Structures are given as structure tokens and as C-alpha cells.
Amino acid sequence: MRSASLSGYMALVHSLGRDPALFMRTVGLTPECLQDPETLIPRDAARELLEITARATRTEDFALQMAAQRKLSTLGPISLVLREEATARQAVNTLCRFLKLVNASLIITVEDAGDVVIIREDLLSSPGLPMRQSVELAVGTLYRMLSELAGPGWTPRDVCFIHRPPANASAHRAFFGRPVKFNQEFNGLVCAAADLARPRQLSDQGVAALARKFLEDALRSRGDSVQALCTQIILALLPGGECSAAQVARLMHKDRRSLHRQLAAQGLSYGVLLDQVRVDLVKRHLRESDLPLSEVSGLLGFTRLSSFSHWFQGHFGCSASQWCQVNRPDGV
């Protein structure tokens, strides 16, 4: 990911009376790698850095304090295009299109639901690493971005996190301007559709057109592996329960045989990839949230709890309840 994802980290740690370089060395990073926001840094190192810093400084809202400093310009060239979209909703759609150029491990899904728009954020898992701070940074940054795009006075209807609440949620409430919901089925924001559809004032569409061309060229030259695209679509489809190979292939504009053939060329099968995604997801849900197993099984695409229990036993060699007793944080 771009080192801009850690924008404000150094100053914040200094303000807490600690030396950021010490924490950075722990994960194999140096302060110099943050000097250029376009420098690419390892995703897992950045995530681990946020977690160990939050623990060491005893700052539960560490990621939100970082997000509070975020501006649209932090996104780089894409911000020029977003500023010139006619509505905040169109800007979100554009962000989804070019997001992999900013953060390839973040997936944003937008869903219309009557008079609201649900914006879901999924992070590709880092096995064995806690994700709480990274998730809160992603949702906090999205909130700050929409605050600029939707105009003064805008607030979301709901702010949702999968993980359990902190010991004191007052900082979260202050940041988002409303109570925050924890132990939810997704990470993200619920917004009034009318707020996102409100026309915006535009200023420099010429510059935006040049930036869009640059981004389109970068998108074409980048390319993505079949495995990466397939994983992103599985993450988006699983909570709805419909996640067959045929449906994933259709959304990738392929036929099912082509998908199986291309995955086989990478040493994979669709079933193996689906199980990998489910294993990563279930570990996160069971470690970080208090959702009942019936809801967790649904989020993994199982229609019956018995099917989930059988799958879990087969992959982990124990029941989900037994796994939680060993792997959940102390005192949970």
C-alpha cells in the first residue's frame, strides 16, 4: 500500500510522548519510507504497526486520531477526480473503480437499500494479525472523505464495526458525531441516499479530466491476478449467501470453465480459494466480535448452522466454541 496510509503517524506518536522510530523498527519500517506518500510499503507491516502502537500507548482510538487528520488530498491524484464528480455518490463509485491504485487490500462495496446507501469496507485478511486499528482507520478515512464531498453538516445514519466495542466508546462517538454500533455484520457507513445525491459545486473539470486519464492508464497497466479478483468478489458475495463459482465467473465476465482453468494455472481451485477466504473471515469474527455463531455462519455464506459447524470441525479439528476458548483475547 502507499505510505500515505500512515500519514500523520509520526506526529501523533510524538504527541503521545513516544518515539515512532522505535515502533517502526519493530515491524521493519523506517521513518524515511514515509517521506514520499507514493512509496509502497508492506501491508502487514503497516497493520501491525498500528496495533502495537495503539497497545503500547494505551490509545484505543489511535487509528481514529490518525483519520482525524485525513483530507481528500491524502488519496493522491484520485482526489482531483473525486472533487469534480457531480454528487458524493458518483465520487464513491469512482473511488471504488480506482481504489486498487490507492490500497489494493481494501474493498469497498456500495449497496442501495431504499432511502439509504450502505457503504461496506472489507480488508483482505492478514492471517494472525489483529485488524481493529486498520479497519477503524479505513472507516474513519471514508467518513472524513464523505464529510468533504457531501458538504457541511453531513453525518451518516449509522457507523458500523464488526469488532466488539472498546472499554470507552466516547472518542468514537465524538469522532463520528453520533453513537457507533459495534458487533455488527459489516464495517462501514449507512448514509441517507438523498445526502449523497445532492448536486455539488464543481471548479476545475479540466484538471480532473487529465487526472482521470492518468488513472485509467495506470489501471490498464496494472492488471490483477485471477486469484485476487476472485477473492474480492467472494468477499462481496458471501454475506448474501449466493457465492457459486458460476456467479463469481459471471461477475468476472468469464464462463465457469475459464475461471476453473485460470485458477488451476495458479495451483488453485475455486473450492480451495473459497475455503481460504472463509477461514480468514471466521478467525477475525471469532477473535474480534461477539456475534452469535448463527450470524457468523450466515456471513460466511452458510444457510444452516449445522453446515457451518461441520465445515468448521473439518478445518479446525474442534468446534467453534472450543476454538474461541483458546484463541480469543484474555478476559473476553
Side-chain angles (χ1 to χ4, degrees):
M1 61 174 65
R2 295 165 66 243
S3 67
S5 63
L6 293 177
S7 172
Y9 172 82
M10 301 279 290
L12 177 55
V13 178
H14 277 305
S15 74
L16 295 171
R18 304 295 292 271
D19 181 0
L22 293 177
F23 296 130
M24 296 185 75
R25 281 199 292 272
T26 303
V27 299
L29 296 176
T30 63
E32 289 72 28
C33 72
L34 302 186
Q35 291 177 356
D36 180 357
E38 299 303 321
T39 298
L40 295 179
I41 59 176
R43 175 194 72 187
D44 289 356
R47 290 178 177 176
E48 187 176 9
L49 179 64
L50 295 179
E51 297 295 336
I52 65 172
T53 307
R55 287 198 302 271
T57 61
R58 298 182 179 179
T59 311
E60 286 189 305
D61 66 326
F62 184 83
L64 292 187
Q65 290 192 40
M66 283 183 61
Q69 306 170 47
R70 292 291 195 266
K71 296 181 179 179
L72 203 55
S73 57
T74 309
L75 295 175
I78 191 174
S79 65
L80 299 173
V81 179
L82 300 184
R83 289 186 192 280
E84 298 306 314
E85 293 291 10
T87 66
R89 172 59 189 271
Q90 287 177 240
V92 172
N93 292 342
T94 298
L95 177 63
C96 291
R97 174 166 178 74
F98 296 118
L99 186 61
K100 66 183 69 175
L101 300 176
V102 180
N103 186 345
S105 67
L106 175 62
I107 301 167
I108 296 180
T109 309
V110 185
E111 176 189 344
D112 292 297
D115 66 342
V116 300
V117 175
I118 300 171
I119 307 176
R120 241 179 62 190
E121 294 193 279
D122 291 299
L123 290 173
L124 298 181
S125 292
S126 297
L129 285 181
M131 303 278 282
R132 184 189 191 101
Q133 296 296 324
S134 296
V135 166
E136 294 195 357
L137 180 59
V139 176
T141 299
L142 176 64
Y143 167 77
R144 292 282 295 169
M145 183 195 81
L146 283 174
S147 296
E148 284 193 55
L149 293 169
W154 173 82
T155 55
R157 291 271 187 93
D158 286 309
V159 179
C160 301
F161 289 111
I162 288 174
H163 50 254
R164 60 181 61 89
N168 185 343
S170 60
H172 291 69
R173 184 166 56 249
F175 178 88
F176 291 105
R178 64 176 306 105
V180 174
K181 296 182 176 180
F182 296 92
N183 287 317
Q184 299 299 297
E185 295 185 355
F186 69 96
N187 298 307
L189 305 176
V190 180
C191 310
D195 288 347
L196 300 190
R198 192 173 297 120
R200 303 181 61 254
Q201 277 195 323
L202 309 181
S203 58
D204 197 342
Q205 292 183 293
V207 172
L210 291 174
R212 187 183 292 273
K213 183 180 184 305
F214 166 79
L215 294 170
E216 292 287 0
D217 290 343
L219 207 56
R220 280 192 294 271
S221 64
R222 176 191 172 88
D224 273 307
S225 70
V226 173
Q227 178 182 352
L229 288 172
C230 196
T231 298
Q232 291 179 6
I233 294 173
I234 289 172
L235 278 169
L237 293 181
L238 267 182
E242 293 290 333
C243 197
S244 66
Q247 187 170 13
V248 170
R250 179 177 61 79
L251 291 172
M252 294 174 69
H253 306 292
K254 305 176 184 294
D255 60 60
R256 188 173 60 178
R257 288 183 179 178
S258 295
L259 175 60
H260 286 308
R261 185 170 60 252
Q262 291 172 6
L263 286 174
Q266 297 181 9
L268 289 168
S269 69
Y270 178 77
V272 167
L273 188 57
L274 176 62
D275 276 342
Q276 286 178 358
V277 174
R278 279 175 162 162
V279 165
D280 289 342
L281 281 177
V282 77
K283 286 180 178 179
R284 284 177 57 192
H285 281 298
L286 296 184
R287 279 195 181 112
E288 299 180 14
S289 82
D290 296 313
L291 285 173
L293 290 179
S294 58
E295 292 188 35
V296 172
S297 68
L299 293 173
L300 266 64
F302 292 98
T303 56
R304 292 180 298 180
L305 182 57
S306 59
S307 300
F308 165 75
S309 299
H310 179 75
W311 172 86
F312 193 97
Q313 183 76 40
H315 282 80
F316 294 88
C318 63
S319 70
S321 299
Q322 290 169 331
W323 189 92
C324 287
Q325 290 174 4
V326 175
N327 292 279
R328 275 193 173 181
D330 292 341
V332 174

